[in-house]
Amino acid sequence: MLYTTHRQKSWDEAVEQNGYVDPEIYIKRGLEEKTLVGEGYTARDMWTLFALGVVLPVAILIWGWV
Amino acid sequence: MQNTASAASPEARLGSLPLPLSERTWGGWLVAGICATAGIATWSFVVGGFTAYYLPAREGTATMIAGALIGQFLVTLAQVPPVAKYGIETLASTKPQLGIRGSYIALIVQYATLIGWNCVLMIFFGRAVASVLTQLGAIGSEQAHATAIFASLTGALIVFALVTRGSTSLKYVGPIVAIGVAIIGLWMYWVLFNAYGLDALAAAQPIAPIENDRLMNYAIGTELLILSTLGWWAYMGSLFRMLNGVSKGIVPSMFSLGFGWAAVGLVGLYSALVIGESDPTIWMMKVAGPMAGVVVLGFVALANIGSTLVGTHAATLGIGQIPAIAKRFSWNTKSLIVLMPMLVALLFFPGPFYDNIGTFMAFVGIILAPICGIQIVDWFALKRLDYLDLVALYQHDPRSRYWYLHGFNPAGIAALLVGAVVYVLLLDPVSFAPNSPLLRYLTASIPSGVAGALTYWWLMKVLSAKN
């Protein structure tokens, strides 16, 4: 089930008679209940990405060239 | 968007709306498997074969892997942070940069990329079926064309049946396809090395390199993989919005999608160098016998249908951003709308479509590098990732903070144009012939992305100061 009883009310408010989910109601309720937004990248994530996406390919290109 | 009573998948209930945290249930390993499903397909062999025109084995290996990692780095930075943090898909992530209406440019690019490549994969699949059946003597050559069309349409219908189940089908199909293609891929390596040996591979010369310009060939080989890998941008929302933690997406993105598709492409590079043929459905039968062709056909079926499934899923999420479509059509109907142009192409003009796909994709490709550059600057230099206004992403009127000028962000649109112009000044996207000697030092996608990024950053500063 998508929501608990309390959250079911939010869902019911967002869902119109024909089944269409109003985006604004859905998102506003989700932000209030903190059910939509997760974490971002940490500094460690950025360094890992830099190592895999810049340092490693440059090293491989040097290997291939020499 | 219709909220079907018996819907099992998040897409059927929520369409392209942000997924709640409780629905983001995919761990790193599952995402890695689905990334491999998306990335590995017969396009890998095509790119490997193209690389063989310019470079021998060692240099080609280096440029393919490095180019794929660089391209995937740009795509990962541009897409994984917003889609994994907010549960949105690719098109929604472009609205802060391009504007509410300007994001339809991104929709055209995304749709063209996904459906264009889906058509290629299904045509490939159909031709592979016909080729193997012809070589086995099951059908005559005069029946090959009709057989290819029938097989392509069957593959497309299988994709439709799977995509109606939304991300649930990705969850179950992904790991199966990933394991299957990994096993068969390793077997193809073994067959090739066993038949020809490393010495023959190391000695093989490229097919048609640029004369007396080793660095230019090296740059073109690198650019080929960067540009091709940037195409994953269109898939990222579909792949990563189900992730249950943004950090878990780094390794799957870089290795499963970036490195993975290049690693399989190396089979195409090596076979083109030593045999003169990159299509494994042809060379495997010659080298390892008829049954090998059947096994490779299994690879092609798994890989191409898997990739087409992910692409169709992503495209269906994308068109769900159009309010008129979101309100009126269910997930299943949207999937059918997405697939319809592909079915028409497969049925009525597979040959002309396939022969001109390079030109078509080239003009799509010159937008991808600046899109990534613009998004990276927006999220990290302008620091707008932490202040993304989710409600505004779904307001299609002047109330939205992303409305800008009549729904278009002039900074984003101008930056796309600047990036595309820089690309064409460096490299002809159709013929892949260099337009500037600077290409040998810069490639084309990287300066194109940087130009787009800097243009966007400067214009956003200017426009913000004005307002």
Side-chain angles (χ1 to χ4, degrees):
Chain A
M1 195 172 175
L2 186 60
Y3 286 104
T4 61
T5 305
H6 168 68
R7 291 174 183 173
Q8 184 64 35
K9 272 185 69 176
S10 309
W11 177 252
D12 292 341
E13 282 173 7
V15 178
E16 295 177 1
Q17 289 284 336
N18 62 355
Y20 173 69
V21 181
D22 184 283
E24 289 190 45
I25 298 175
Y26 167 77
I27 293 171
K28 282 177 181 171
R29 290 297 184 185
L31 292 173
E32 283 172 16
E33 295 164 3
K34 300 188 191 317
T35 55
L36 286 180
V37 182
E39 299 298 317
Y41 272 164
T42 62
R44 179 180 172 177
D45 293 334
M46 296 298 283
W47 280 114
T48 303
L49 202 45
F50 181 77
L52 294 176
V54 178
V55 176
L56 181 60
V58 167
I60 292 171
L61 285 173
I62 292 171
W63 167 81
W65 181 257
V66 299
Chain B
M1 178 194 67
Q2 303 296 326
N3 196 23
T4 54
S6 59
S9 70
E11 293 82 0
R13 285 179 279 116
L14 297 167
S16 303
L17 288 175
L19 282 180
L21 293 166
S22 58
E23 295 276 344
R24 300 177 213 172
T25 56
W26 292 359
W29 282 108
L30 179 56
V31 169
I34 297 168
C35 283
T37 298
I40 298 172
T42 45
W43 49 38
S44 302
F45 306 121
V46 173
V47 170
F50 201 17
T51 304
Y53 273 84
Y54 296 97
L55 295 164
R58 181 184 170 110
E59 292 170 19
T61 302
T63 59
M64 285 190 72
I65 295 175
L69 288 174
I70 293 169
Q72 195 59 30
F73 168 68
L74 296 173
V75 166
T76 304
L77 263 185
Q79 279 288 292
V80 175
V83 304
K85 180 172 180 175
Y86 294 100
I88 58 177
E89 49 73 53
T90 296
L91 198 65
S93 76
T94 66
K95 291 177 183 179
Q97 297 89 40
L98 301 180
I100 297 294
R101 286 180 173 160
S103 68
Y104 293 155
I105 298 172
L107 175 63
I108 293 169
V109 171
Q110 184 195 43
Y111 189 79
T113 303
L114 295 170
I115 298 307
W117 280 118
N118 282 356
C119 282
V120 169
L121 291 182
M122 287 295 99
I123 292 171
F124 237 116
F125 170 63
R127 289 182 176 187
V129 170
S131 170
V132 171
L133 289 178
T134 303
Q135 292 183 71
L136 288 174
I139 61 171
S141 55
E142 66 281 0
Q143 297 163 305
H145 180 69
T147 303
I149 291 177
F150 179 76
S152 297
L153 289 173
T154 304
L157 290 174
I158 292 172
V159 167
F160 175 67
L162 290 171
V163 83
T164 56
R165 302 190 59 77
S167 53
T168 307
S169 65
L170 297 186
K171 181 179 165 185
Y172 292 109
V173 168
I176 295 171
V177 170
I179 292 169
V181 299
I183 291 171
I184 300 175
L186 286 171
W187 178 63
M188 283 196 272
Y189 269 112
W190 182 85
V191 168
L192 195 60
F193 290 153
N194 196 48
Y196 293 92
L198 284 174
D199 291 339
L201 181 61
Q205 292 302 303
I207 298 168
I210 296 173
E211 299 267 338
N212 303 315
D213 200 339
R214 185 185 174 210
L215 186 57
M216 185 62 86
N217 287 305
Y218 207 63
I220 291 176
T222 307
E223 170 59 29
L224 177 60
L225 263 292
I226 295 175
L227 178 64
S228 305
T229 305
L230 289 176
W232 300 137
W233 175 87
Y235 292 74
M236 297 299 277
S238 169
L239 292 169
F240 287 92
R241 74 176 198 145
M242 293 289 294
L243 191 62
N244 63 6
V246 65
S247 300
K248 297 179 185 178
I250 295 173
V251 172
S253 178
M254 294 300 294
F255 277 116
S256 244
L257 196 49
F259 173 78
W261 93 287
V264 173
L266 291 176
V267 175
L269 167 69
Y270 301 152
S271 63
L273 285 171
V274 292
I275 307 174
E277 175 61 65
S278 62
D279 184 352
T281 57
I282 296 173
W283 67 260
M284 281 290 281
M285 290 188 81
K286 289 178 184 169
V287 173
M291 282 315 297
V294 175
V295 174
V296 170
L297 185 58
F299 173 98
V300 170
L302 279 177
N304 286 16
I305 289 176
S307 298
T308 305
L309 168 62
V310 178
T312 305
H313 181 265
T316 308
L317 283 174
I319 68 161
Q321 288 293 328
I322 301 172
I325 292 180
K327 273 197 169 187
R328 287 190 180 82
F329 301 115
S330 67
W331 174 260
N332 291 0
T333 306
K334 281 186 284 188
S335 304
L336 195 57
I337 293 171
V338 160
L339 281 170
M340 200 51 67
M342 186 172 110
L343 293 173
V344 170
L346 292 177
L347 190 57
F348 294 111
F349 44 90
F353 186 93
Y354 189 85
D355 292 339
N356 291 288
I357 188 65
T359 305
F360 173 67
M361 298 309 294
F363 287 102
V364 169
I366 63 176
I367 297 291
L368 289 172
I371 279 185
C372 288
I374 288 163
Q375 290 203 297
I376 291 169
V377 158
D378 200 55
W379 304 138
F380 298 105
L382 298 176
K383 298 192 188 300
R384 300 214 298 169
L385 179 63
D386 291 335
Y387 306 103
L388 191 69
D389 188 335
L390 273 180
V391 175
L393 292 182
Y394 295 87
Q395 289 173 323
H396 293 83
D397 52 54
R399 291 178 302 144
S400 172
R401 68 182 293 183
Y402 303 126
W403 189 250
Y404 302 108
L405 188 66
H406 304 294
F408 296 89
N409 183 358
I413 307 300
L416 284 186
L417 289 171
V418 167
V421 167
V422 166
Y423 191 100
V424 176
L425 286 175
L426 287 163
L427 180 67
D428 184 332
V430 178
S431 65
F432 245 66
N435 283 340
S436 164
L438 292 176
L439 178 70
R440 63 170 64 83
Y441 308 112
L442 301 174
T443 71
S445 291
I446 294 174
S448 169
V450 169
L454 289 176
T455 303
Y456 180 77
W457 176 82
W458 179 70
L459 285 173
M460 286 295 282
K461 289 288 188 188
V462 166
L463 293 172
S464 298
K466 264 191 169 180
N467 291 333

